[in-house]
Amino acid sequence: MPTENDRDDYIKRMCDDQRNAYLKRSSAHFLECAVHLCVTHMSIEEAAALLEQHAALLREHG
């Protein structure tokens, strides 16, 4: 039979999982908005090059 601590731990893990999923979705949405803003003021090729530079930095120093 689950104890109160087990139930509390389960609820905490569930809340943490949902918060992390929300933050991940929000971050991806923010990035999409930023990309759309970039291509409003620069060419798609320029925006892609900028994103590739940042991706390379993330991979190198991530």
Side-chain angles (χ1 to χ4, degrees):
M1 173 179 244
T3 66
E4 188 172 329
N5 283 343
D6 291 338
R7 188 186 67 204
D8 290 346
D9 289 343
Y10 172 76
I11 291 171
K12 182 180 181 329
R13 280 193 315 273
M14 188 171 51
C15 289
D16 289 345
D17 290 346
Q18 290 300 311
R19 183 189 69 237
N20 291 337
Y22 169 78
L23 291 172
K24 186 176 180 178
R25 288 190 311 271
S26 296
S27 297
H29 182 69
F30 180 83
L31 177 60
E32 290 169 3
C33 291
V35 169
H36 288 284
L37 180 62
C38 285
V39 297
T40 301
H41 301 288
M42 61 180 72
S43 72
I44 290 176
E45 291 79 17
E46 290 172 318
L50 181 61
L51 288 168
E52 288 166 351
Q53 290 170 3
H54 283 278
L57 287 171
L58 281 172
R59 287 185 185 102
E60 183 179 342
H61 302 289

